[in-house]
Amino acid sequence: MANTFSQIYIHFVFAVQYRKALIDQSWELELYQYISGIIRNKGQKPMIVNGMPDHIHLLVGMKPDLASSDLVQEIKKSSNKWVNESRFCRSKFKWQDGFGAFSVSQSHVDRCYK
């Protein structure tokens, strides 16, 4: 896509299956860093990755060459596997089906980030 310019900011939200509070403070930063790496590896820009024990928020600068659903599917699949292989949880970790995706205008990126 030569000579293409875009400013697409998406705020994603998705939850742990059954909204269980499984994301513990002892490993949440590692999870956020892992997810940031997935976003970068997909050629997108992770602006912030944060959350609560039962859900996660991502603000991503998206390029138009990747569907948001494909990005979230990869994040969920890879991070499920990583959390389970790392044995951070006593029970099996899994993200809930579905996600929220909200466009953020350039003028509201800073407010969303905070």
Side-chain angles (χ1 to χ4, degrees):
M1 287 193 211
N3 301 317
T4 300
F5 175 76
S6 65
Q7 286 185 319
I8 304 168
Y9 303 99
I10 307 291
H11 175 192
F12 296 102
V13 182
F14 50 91
V16 176
Q17 190 173 40
Y18 308 120
R19 293 291 299 230
K20 289 184 178 179
L22 296 179
I23 302 171
D24 190 83
Q25 286 182 334
S26 64
W27 54 272
E28 71 179 341
L29 184 58
E30 288 178 77
L31 174 63
Y32 301 157
Q33 291 170 342
Y34 185 81
I35 289 173
S36 292
I38 296 168
I39 296 167
R40 273 191 294 283
N41 287 339
K42 287 296 198 177
Q44 310 306 309
K45 182 179 180 182
M47 300 183 75
I48 191 163
V49 177
N50 209 335
M52 301 296 291
D54 66 344
H55 71 279
I56 195 164
H57 293 262
L58 316 171
L59 179 58
V60 180
M62 296 286 296
K63 293 180 183 175
D65 63 346
L66 180 66
S68 57
S69 58
D70 291 341
L71 177 63
V72 173
Q73 180 181 15
E74 182 61 33
I75 290 168
K76 287 180 169 185
K77 181 184 79 164
S78 295
S79 61
N80 276 341
K81 183 178 178 188
W82 179 77
V83 170
N84 287 313
E85 286 178 353
S86 300
R87 299 181 186 230
F88 288 128
C89 297
R90 290 184 181 153
S91 61
K92 183 175 170 109
F93 183 89
K94 187 174 186 313
W95 295 110
Q96 189 168 302
D97 290 338
F99 63 95
F102 310 93
S103 61
V104 178
S105 68
Q106 174 65 43
S107 62
H108 288 93
V109 166
D110 190 53
R111 186 182 310 167
C112 185
Y113 182 89
K114 291 177 181 173

